[in-house]
Short mmCIF file of all heavy atoms in Angstrom, two decimals:
data_model
loop_
_atom_site.label_atom_id
_atom_site.label_comp_id
_atom_site.label_asym_id
_atom_site.label_seq_id
_atom_site.Cartn_x
_atom_site.Cartn_y
_atom_site.Cartn_z
N LYS A 48 38.54 -23.35 55.96
CA LYS A 48 39.42 -22.73 54.99
C LYS A 48 38.78 -22.65 53.63
O LYS A 48 38.78 -21.65 52.92
CB LYS A 48 40.77 -23.47 54.88
CG LYS A 48 41.79 -22.78 54.01
CD LYS A 48 43.11 -23.54 54.08
CE LYS A 48 44.11 -22.87 53.16
NZ LYS A 48 45.45 -23.56 53.18
N ALA A 49 38.14 -23.79 53.25
CA ALA A 49 37.45 -23.81 51.93
C ALA A 49 36.31 -22.82 51.88
O ALA A 49 36.06 -22.20 50.90
CB ALA A 49 37.00 -25.25 51.64
N ALA A 50 35.61 -22.78 53.05
CA ALA A 50 34.36 -21.89 53.09
C ALA A 50 34.85 -20.44 52.96
O ALA A 50 34.25 -19.65 52.21
CB ALA A 50 33.68 -22.09 54.37
N VAL A 51 35.95 -20.12 53.66
CA VAL A 51 36.41 -18.73 53.62
C VAL A 51 36.87 -18.40 52.20
O VAL A 51 36.61 -17.36 51.67
CB VAL A 51 37.62 -18.48 54.61
CG1 VAL A 51 38.30 -17.18 54.39
CG2 VAL A 51 37.11 -18.65 56.04
N THR A 52 37.60 -19.35 51.57
CA THR A 52 38.12 -19.11 50.24
C THR A 52 36.98 -18.94 49.31
O THR A 52 36.93 -18.00 48.49
CB THR A 52 38.98 -20.32 49.71
OG1 THR A 52 40.08 -20.42 50.67
CG2 THR A 52 39.54 -20.07 48.32
N ARG A 53 35.96 -19.80 49.31
CA ARG A 53 34.86 -19.70 48.41
C ARG A 53 33.98 -18.44 48.71
O ARG A 53 33.43 -17.88 47.79
CB ARG A 53 34.00 -20.97 48.54
CG ARG A 53 34.69 -22.23 48.08
CD ARG A 53 33.83 -23.44 48.25
NE ARG A 53 34.59 -24.63 47.86
CZ ARG A 53 34.09 -25.88 47.91
NH1 ARG A 53 32.81 -26.07 48.33
NH2 ARG A 53 34.80 -26.91 47.54
N LYS A 54 33.85 -18.13 49.98
CA LYS A 54 33.08 -16.91 50.31
C LYS A 54 33.74 -15.67 49.74
O LYS A 54 33.09 -14.82 49.19
CB LYS A 54 32.93 -16.78 51.81
CG LYS A 54 31.99 -15.68 52.23
CD LYS A 54 31.73 -15.70 53.70
CE LYS A 54 30.66 -14.62 54.09
NZ LYS A 54 30.38 -14.66 55.57
N ALA A 55 35.08 -15.66 49.82
CA ALA A 55 35.85 -14.50 49.28
C ALA A 55 35.63 -14.44 47.75
O ALA A 55 35.42 -13.41 47.16
CB ALA A 55 37.32 -14.59 49.60
N ALA A 56 35.72 -15.63 47.15
CA ALA A 56 35.51 -15.70 45.71
C ALA A 56 34.09 -15.25 45.33
O ALA A 56 33.88 -14.52 44.37
CB ALA A 56 35.79 -17.12 45.18
N ALA A 57 33.12 -15.73 46.16
CA ALA A 57 31.73 -15.33 45.90
C ALA A 57 31.49 -13.90 46.04
O ALA A 57 30.78 -13.20 45.31
CB ALA A 57 30.80 -16.11 46.87
N THR A 58 32.19 -13.25 47.06
CA THR A 58 32.06 -11.82 47.29
C THR A 58 32.58 -11.07 46.10
O THR A 58 32.01 -10.10 45.62
CB THR A 58 32.83 -11.42 48.57
OG1 THR A 58 32.30 -12.17 49.71
CG2 THR A 58 32.69 -9.90 48.83
N ARG A 59 33.78 -11.50 45.60
CA ARG A 59 34.38 -10.87 44.42
C ARG A 59 33.45 -10.99 43.26
O ARG A 59 33.21 -10.10 42.46
CB ARG A 59 35.79 -11.38 44.06
CG ARG A 59 36.84 -11.00 45.18
CD ARG A 59 38.20 -11.28 44.63
NE ARG A 59 38.38 -12.73 44.34
CZ ARG A 59 38.87 -13.59 45.27
NH1 ARG A 59 39.13 -13.19 46.52
NH2 ARG A 59 39.03 -14.88 44.92
N LYS A 60 32.93 -12.17 43.04
CA LYS A 60 32.03 -12.46 41.90
C LYS A 60 30.75 -11.65 41.99
O LYS A 60 30.28 -11.07 41.08
CB LYS A 60 31.70 -13.96 41.84
CG LYS A 60 30.88 -14.34 40.60
CD LYS A 60 30.69 -15.82 40.50
CE LYS A 60 29.86 -16.20 39.34
NZ LYS A 60 29.65 -17.67 39.23
N GLY A 61 30.22 -11.62 43.22
CA GLY A 61 29.00 -10.83 43.46
C GLY A 61 29.21 -9.36 43.23
O GLY A 61 28.35 -8.68 42.64
N ALA A 62 30.36 -8.88 43.66
CA ALA A 62 30.68 -7.44 43.40
C ALA A 62 30.70 -7.17 41.93
O ALA A 62 30.22 -6.16 41.42
CB ALA A 62 31.97 -7.03 44.08
N GLY A 63 31.37 -8.10 41.13
CA GLY A 63 31.45 -7.90 39.69
C GLY A 63 30.06 -7.90 39.07
O GLY A 63 29.75 -7.10 38.19
N ALA A 64 29.25 -8.87 39.49
CA ALA A 64 27.87 -8.97 38.93
C ALA A 64 27.09 -7.74 39.29
O ALA A 64 26.30 -7.21 38.50
CB ALA A 64 27.19 -10.20 39.44
N GLY A 65 27.28 -7.23 40.54
CA GLY A 65 26.54 -6.05 41.02
C GLY A 65 26.93 -4.84 40.12
O GLY A 65 26.12 -4.00 39.79
N THR A 66 28.23 -4.77 39.82
CA THR A 66 28.72 -3.64 38.96
C THR A 66 28.08 -3.72 37.57
O THR A 66 27.63 -2.75 37.01
CB THR A 66 30.22 -3.75 38.86
OG1 THR A 66 30.79 -3.62 40.16
CG2 THR A 66 30.74 -2.54 38.01
N ALA A 67 28.05 -4.96 37.06
CA ALA A 67 27.37 -5.11 35.74
C ALA A 67 25.94 -4.68 35.76
O ALA A 67 25.44 -4.02 34.87
CB ALA A 67 27.52 -6.59 35.26
#
Side-chain angles (χ1 to χ4, degrees):
K48 185 176 180 179
V51 170
T52 302
R53 293 180 184 180
K54 187 172 184 179
T58 301
R59 290 194 298 272
K60 185 176 180 181
T66 301

